[in-house]
Amino acid sequence: MRLKIERRKNDPTKLSIFLMSVLSVLISLAILGLIILSLGKNPINAYVQLTSWPFGTVAGLTQTLISMMPLLFTSLGVLIAFKMKLWNIGAEGQFYMGAFAATWGALFLFKGISSPWLMLPLLAAFAAGFGGAWGAAAGWMKAKLGVNEILSTLMLNYIAIYWVNYLVYGPWKGKGSYNFPITATFPKAAILPQYTSDGLNLGIFLAIATSFFVFYLLKRTKFGFHMDIVGDNPIAAKYSGINVKKMTIAVLAISGAISGLGGMMQMSGVLFRLQPNFSPGYGYTAIIVAWLARLNPFVAIAVAFLFGGLLVGTQQIQLFLQIPFSLVSVFEGLVLFSLISGEALLRYKISFKGVRT
Amino acid sequence: MSENVLELSNIVKRFPGILANDHVNLTLKKGEVHALLGENGAGKSTLMNIIYGIYKADEGEIYVNGQRANITSPHKAIEYGIGMIQQHFSLVPSFSVAENVALGLKEFHLFPRIDVIKKRLRELSKKFGLDVKPESRIWQLSAGEQQRVEILKLLYMNSQIMILDEPTAILTPQEAEGLFKTIKEMVKYGASVIFISHKLKEVLEISDRITVMRHGKVVDTLLREEADEKILARKMVGRDVVLRVEKSPPKTGDLKLSVKNLYSRSDKGPFAINGLSLEVRKGEILGIAGVAGNGQRELAESIYGLRDYTGEIEIDGTMLKPLDVHSRINHGVAYVPQDRKGVALCGNLPLYYNLFLKIFTSKQGDFNPYLFNPISLKKPAEALVKEYDVATSSLDLSVKYLSGGNMQKIVLARELTLNPELIIAVHPTRGLDVGAMESVYKILIKARENGAAVLLIAGDLEEIFTLSDRVAVLYEGRIVGYSEPDEEHLEEIGLMMAGIKKERVG
Ligand SMILES: Nc1ncnc2c1ncn2[C@@H]1O[C@H](COP(=O)(O)OP(=O)(O)OP(=O)(O)O)[C@@H](O)[C@H]1O
Ligand SMILES: [Mg+2]
């Protein structure tokens, strides 16, 4: 058999990338429909359930915004690292560390503080610090020891998740929790302003504000300019007098800090108490969001909104059609797979010719 | 008609904002070496890429052996017996020679028969005098050896029409002679060759016919007998070119660079610099002559801080730490490296970014690091593009799309506007057309007259003689002697380059 792979002559245009992304999502939705059909359910019904509640009702939209918030934070974190071709897949762990730090601060360290004006910034800084340290650790290992960041960030995810599990099953188990692995509830001062009775809180606005910050950092600072250089050609960056190791550590630290901040917002804004598996994999979904957004922090807002709605919608179909929630992961996998294939097809021409003997 | 193995008829190629090929006609006869000359950005590489199927012509036809050919990809080109060595190589560094040949075959086999390939490669290298071992890994090979691999690839695929895009730019004069022998051998076996070069002497030596291009058009096609250097240069740039630049006697000042007892390893592991010492004063150009591979690259990179070393490097009397590029930049050191694309440019970033890679690490500009919009670089970039005569359709163009010579101009423009006090220039005119070469010479001489120290590392002795105030000869990682930049000492320098030590002269 003959398989020919050839590079296309031109780089893909913005329009073709956009169409490819949309197509990827549509194809994934279609395959999802087939899977639902094979489970013996009506896919049309499922699509309706999937979209009508999260995007068509006020209560649903509120839920969409709430689940979009941690997603946007982690996507922005991932996006910064990806910009410099650092494949940080550790947003989940950094998110966990942020949530851990926020809980530690709220329930133990800063217990005595009663002013939210002092408490909340303190928790945010603390969480960003821990998430940042988690990112910086991977950066340090890459810069000083040459450890691939994909491996180190993945490992660090497990450490963070098990660490949180250990705490909530053990020393941090709350008094009033009837032996459930849940910490005590945050004090009032550690809770973000709430706007509706069903949970809309300040977090989502801070997430959007963070998008602007990321845009500023990437496009309007020396740091962002140097990130472009290092990302494109690290040797040329060294040649230009840029400290590539320092940049690697700094970028992963900022990346982790933003995800960690998301962890704090999720605790102080939505959950108010730490429990195991409190994230349905925001840090992993973030990778797909960042990629679909083409690493643009503003487009990420829209994509995070859609995926937030998707998470809410899947809860709906789980409830009404008894379809397992893990379909979200299937869907995400499909999107990622179609995106990568689409990417390859945009850049390469692949042709098969009949089997020859 | 049938005598023409290749015929191009009215080829037109447009890129956004530029007409790279404007109704080009060209014929290649069987068994002929046809040279293609022209300024940087004249459209030579573009035209060759069209023949090789990398680009598609907007208009015009290609005939191979008298038949209309539809070449849509390099694979198709190979089927038509066309092979090309590009200006920048396309070998996989971690693969062996034989594996790289397997990769370039018309079809992709999951399990290529490496032994068969190796055997045939050995036969071919013997037949054409191309000395490389099929087992060697590409990263271990010098540029000249890599080029031989590329040629072997073409021979292996039975190419009848060979396109060589500036093959001699990276070769030492000796290696170039070897290449010419190979070319003559290939022609004897019936191949036809298109040969691009900026070196007029070579062109006159090797080719049967010469075509000159300018601004995308063919200016003229001459027989070798009708041409000489002066005619060719005038046709290329449209004016007379003087490469013998006027130079006042040196006004040397204080010591700028002092290197003592330097040791440094090459990428392959062994020491490439073995206890080297040298000094450069303000206002002088020290030329380093030597056969490629005697530590030129390692010397330049150690001084610039890109490579680890032991020994002492002092600039302005201050001892510098190894691997600290930033302190070099602060001391006004500019560096024009040998591998411009790999070391000095970011291919996917726009041209105007590339002119200012050092904007925050040097005194090139004064921008607020916390409120910096790269768009503000466009205006100064435009001035530089004009000053250095860079041929480009737009400032936004990714630098990887520039012609080879224009990439070099970007590097030179960036480095030289920093008003450097020490310039380390490695093959600064490689790939430049004679017009641009002349202006680089003028720029370097002007920098010297303004008190800059220049360390010029070049393969071309003529260039070293033209520019240098003193010549040092580098052999096996050491300076084996000094000489005056004078043709009279040519033989003596040649002996030292071959490792035969002489007493210090002058
Ligand atoms: N893919 C592309 N997109 C846009 N412009 C291009 C592209 N490729 C080439 N060009 C432009 O076309 C012109 C001709 O380039 P080409 O590489 O053919 O020049 P050349 O004659 O080979 O020059 P040199 O001697 O410097 O190698 C240049 O101005 C170059 O910037
Ligand atoms: Mg060219």
Side-chain angles (χ1 to χ4, degrees):
Chain A
M1 189 183 73
R2 303 211 299 172
L3 168 66
K4 294 211 299 188
I5 302 172
E6 267 166 29
R7 215 185 161 81
R8 287 188 194 267
K9 280 143 203 166
N10 302 315
D11 286 349
T13 60
K14 280 207 167 115
L15 181 67
S16 66
I17 289 176
F18 173 74
L19 292 177
M20 189 273 283
S21 308
V22 172
L23 200 67
S24 297
V25 173
L26 290 180
I27 290 176
S28 309
L29 277 173
I31 300 177
L32 190 70
L34 288 177
I35 297 175
I36 292 174
L37 196 64
S38 75
L39 291 172
K41 317 279 171 173
N42 181 347
I44 304 292
N45 207 342
Y47 289 141
V48 172
Q49 293 286 349
L50 192 64
T51 47
S52 62
W53 158 260
F55 299 113
T57 63
V58 175
L61 269 176
T62 310
Q63 291 311 311
T64 298
L65 289 176
I66 292 171
S67 67
M68 161 190 178
M69 183 266 284
L71 209 49
L72 184 53
F73 271 113
T74 44
S75 307
L76 292 169
V78 163
L79 181 155
I80 286 195
F82 282 13
K83 261 279 180 212
M84 215 169 79
K85 301 215 172 81
L86 291 169
W87 308 117
N88 172 16
I89 57 170
E92 186 77 355
Q94 293 143 12
F95 184 75
Y96 265 77
M97 286 318 279
F100 150 74
T103 311
W104 191 16
L107 297 182
F108 305 99
L109 286 183
F110 317 132
K111 208 162 55 180
I113 297 173
S114 60
S115 157
W117 291 101
L118 188 57
M119 178 68 126
L120 289 170
L122 216 55
L123 290 183
F126 202 46
F130 266 84
W134 228 232
W140 185 87
M141 283 191 264
K142 184 181 177 81
K144 303 287 172 185
L145 311 171
V147 177
N148 184 312
E149 73 279 10
I150 299 181
L151 297 178
S152 57
T153 50
L154 191 65
M155 294 302 154
L156 287 166
N157 279 350
Y158 289 113
I159 298 178
I161 292 169
Y162 286 118
W163 171 237
V164 165
N165 279 353
Y166 161 73
L167 289 174
V168 293
Y169 277 102
W172 280 11
K173 199 189 285 177
K175 285 206 180 71
S177 72
Y178 304 101
N179 222 18
F180 278 111
I182 288 186
T183 63
T185 309
F186 277 28
K188 263 224 162 63
I191 288 176
L192 284 175
Q194 305 281 315
Y195 302 119
T196 62
S197 57
D198 53 357
L200 189 68
N201 63 80
L202 183 65
I204 181 64
F205 301 107
L206 293 177
I208 291 171
T210 307
S211 297
F212 281 85
F213 168 75
V214 170
F215 172 83
Y216 158 77
L217 186 71
L218 294 177
K219 299 286 181 196
R220 291 291 181 272
T221 63
K222 160 189 163 181
F223 191 76
F225 187 68
H226 284 184
M227 276 179 69
D228 281 341
I229 297 173
V230 179
D232 190 63
N233 185 351
I235 299 175
K238 267 188 213 162
Y239 161 89
S240 308
I242 297 169
N243 188 332
V244 175
K245 293 184 175 177
K246 221 158 106 186
M247 289 289 291
T248 303
I249 299 174
V251 164
L252 281 171
I254 295 173
S255 162
I258 293 177
S259 293
L261 195 62
M264 173 266 172
M265 297 291 167
Q266 184 71 352
M267 296 315 299
S268 289
V270 182
L271 298 174
F272 315 137
R273 54 202 330 198
L274 193 60
Q275 61 196 64
N277 306 322
F278 68 98
S279 156
Y282 291 123
Y284 297 115
T285 307
I287 297 169
I288 296 158
V289 174
W291 207 246
L292 263 179
R294 292 286 142 186
L295 308 188
N296 178 316
F298 295 138
V299 181
I301 300 177
V303 181
F305 177 72
L306 288 176
F307 272 72
L310 185 82
L311 286 176
V312 175
T314 331
Q315 280 159 7
Q316 288 296 304
I317 59 173
Q318 184 186 16
L319 221 60
F320 290 102
L321 299 173
Q322 276 81 45
I323 292 171
F325 187 74
S326 53
L327 270 190
V328 191
S329 317
V330 173
F331 176 73
E332 285 170 4
L334 287 170
V335 172
L336 194 62
F337 190 75
S338 352
L339 269 182
I340 293 169
S341 333
E343 189 86 23
L345 285 176
L346 281 182
R347 290 178 201 277
Y348 296 91
K349 212 161 55 183
I350 298 169
S351 55
F352 295 97
K353 286 190 180 168
V355 181
R356 284 202 182 176
T357 43
Chain B
M1 184 74 200
S2 65
E3 185 198 6
N4 288 337
V5 285
L6 181 72
E7 187 176 342
L8 305 182
S9 161
N10 279 312
I11 300 286
V12 176
K13 179 69 190 173
R14 294 181 194 89
F15 289 118
I18 201 161
L19 189 54
N21 288 150
D22 185 1
H23 296 91
V24 173
N25 294 303
L26 187 82
T27 58
L28 180 66
K29 294 186 182 142
K30 188 161 179 62
E32 131 175 283
V33 179
H34 194 141
L36 199 53
L37 271 179
E39 285 178 294
N40 296 127
K44 305 178 295 291
S45 296
T46 303
L47 188 65
M48 296 305 110
N49 284 334
I50 289 172
I51 302 176
Y52 192 52
I54 290 175
Y55 291 140
K56 192 171 163 18
D58 297 324
E59 291 169 34
E61 285 120 45
I62 300 176
Y63 298 88
V64 177
N65 295 321
Q67 302 282 321
R68 173 90 188 262
N70 183 19
I71 304 171
T72 51
S73 69
H75 285 279
K76 266 279 172 56
I78 292 167
E79 277 170 29
Y80 281 107
I82 301 170
M84 173 162 173
I85 299 180
Q86 307 213 2
Q87 207 162 351
H88 303 98
F89 297 155
S90 49
L91 299 169
V92 184
S94 58
F95 278 22
S96 74
V97 172
E99 285 161 347
N100 267 285
V101 172
L103 270 185
L105 293 183
K106 268 178 241 164
E107 44 236 45
F108 176 76
H109 295 272
L110 269 184
F111 302 104
R113 314 231 354 235
I114 295 286
D115 326 339
V116 181
I117 295 175
K118 277 188 189 159
K119 187 159 161 262
R120 176 122 175 78
L121 281 180
R122 272 194 211 99
E123 288 164 20
L124 285 172
S125 11
K126 203 179 266 164
K127 188 162 153 193
F128 292 98
L130 292 159
D131 183 24
V132 266
K133 286 202 194 76
E135 294 81 17
S136 324
R137 307 260 146 204
I138 299 299
W139 63 268
Q140 297 173 316
L141 303 179
S142 72
E145 288 168 319
Q146 292 191 22
Q147 184 177 76
R148 278 178 240 150
V149 177
E150 292 272 15
I151 295 177
L152 275 174
K153 240 166 100 177
L154 301 195
L155 291 169
Y156 191 95
M157 292 184 285
N158 258 326
S159 305
Q160 289 304 301
I161 298 168
M162 309 224 182
I163 302 169
L164 310 180
D165 195 349
E166 294 193 35
T168 54
I170 52 154
L171 299 183
T172 61
Q174 296 86 334
E175 283 175 319
E177 279 310 314
L179 173 70
F180 292 160
K181 258 193 214 126
T182 308
I183 290 180
K184 280 176 191 148
E185 203 64 23
M186 296 190 302
V187 168
K188 218 161 65 192
Y189 285 96
S192 314
V193 177
I194 301 182
F195 175 88
I196 300 181
S197 173
H198 289 294
K199 299 179 185 164
L200 305 178
K201 270 210 188 91
E202 282 176 7
V203 165
L204 289 166
E205 178 185 339
I206 186 79
S207 44
D208 302 304
R209 283 193 301 158
I210 301 159
T211 291
V212 182
M213 285 182 74
R214 243 189 116 192
H215 302 317
K217 289 200 195 73
V218 168
V219 180
D220 202 354
T221 299
L222 311 104
L223 293 172
R224 174 183 34 195
E225 295 77 40
E226 303 167 344
D228 64 33
E229 282 189 50
K230 217 166 159 189
I231 296 176
L232 291 177
R234 198 179 311 130
K235 285 207 190 282
M236 261 172 73
V237 292
R239 62 180 165 88
D240 282 320
V241 180
V242 213
L243 280 178
R244 279 275 157 206
V245 274
E246 285 301 312
K247 208 168 65 170
S248 57
K251 296 187 288 272
T252 43
D254 296 343
L255 191 60
K256 180 72 192 175
L257 168 73
S258 145
V259 176
K260 273 189 217 124
N261 210 15
L262 187 74
Y263 286 87
S264 172
R265 290 177 188 279
S266 76
D267 289 343
K268 296 170 201 169
F271 281 106
I273 296 292
N274 285 304
L276 177 146
S277 301
L278 61 76
E279 287 180 348
V280 190
R281 301 192 159 270
K282 289 182 183 163
E284 76 162 346
I285 299 182
L286 175 67
I288 305 272
V291 177
N294 275 288
Q296 284 88 342
R297 180 170 156 211
E298 289 79 6
L299 174 62
E301 290 185 350
S302 301
I303 297 176
Y304 188 67
L306 277 176
R307 183 175 293 272
D308 206 0
Y309 61 82
T310 60
E312 288 168 28
I313 293 179
E314 280 180 19
I315 293 180
D316 297 323
T318 316
M319 174 96 93
L320 298 179
K321 282 201 287 255
L323 294 176
D324 181 1
V325 174
H326 201 181
S327 70
R328 269 72 171 180
I329 296 177
N330 283 340
H331 275 100
V333 182
Y335 176 37
V336 181
Q338 182 170 345
D339 177 10
R340 57 197 173 222
K341 225 181 157 189
V343 177
L345 293 170
C346 290
N348 295 307
L349 296 186
L351 181 156
Y352 71 96
Y353 273 53
N354 274 283
L355 281 167
F356 296 98
L357 294 183
K358 295 182 175 175
I359 189 86
F360 289 109
T361 49
S362 68
K363 295 181 203 92
Q364 190 178 9
D366 184 20
F367 287 92
N368 181 348
Y370 301 106
L371 207 62
F372 167 69
N373 189 347
I375 298 287
S376 56
L377 297 174
K378 277 199 171 179
K379 227 176 163 182
E382 203 172 331
L384 278 179
V385 162
K386 235 187 226 128
E387 188 185 336
Y388 284 82
D389 201 19
V390 180
T392 177
S393 49
S394 136
L395 294 173
D396 292 303
L397 193 70
S398 296
V399 89
K400 68 176 173 194
Y401 293 127
L402 284 184
S403 79
N406 283 301
M407 283 187 204
Q408 182 73 338
K409 288 187 190 173
I410 298 285
V411 176
L412 285 165
R414 180 186 59 222
E415 295 303 300
L416 296 174
T417 48
L418 289 168
N419 285 326
E421 292 163 33
L422 170 64
I423 303 170
I424 308 165
V426 187
H427 305 300
T429 59
R430 170 177 286 180
L432 294 187
D433 64 51
V434 281
M437 210 187 269
E438 180 191 38
S439 46
V440 170
Y441 287 180
K442 282 190 183 143
I443 291 165
L444 285 177
I445 301 248
K446 198 168 137 223
R448 158 191 177 265
E449 256 141 46
N450 292 338
V454 181
L455 185 67
L456 171 73
I457 303 180
D460 187 356
L461 277 182
E462 208 168 320
E463 183 160 304
I464 289 189
F465 286 156
T466 310
L467 292 174
S468 313
D469 299 306
R470 287 190 298 148
V471 181
V473 180
L474 182 68
Y475 177 72
E476 291 193 340
R478 253 179 297 232
I479 301 295
V480 290
Y482 288 85
S483 168
E484 272 162 39
D486 204 321
E487 308 275 350
E488 278 173 38
H489 300 288
L490 198 58
E491 197 190 325
E492 174 193 338
I493 291 176
L495 284 174
M496 286 196 282
M497 280 167 66
I500 297 154
K501 205 166 168 153
K502 275 264 161 170
E503 280 306 293
R504 195 194 150 118
V505 183

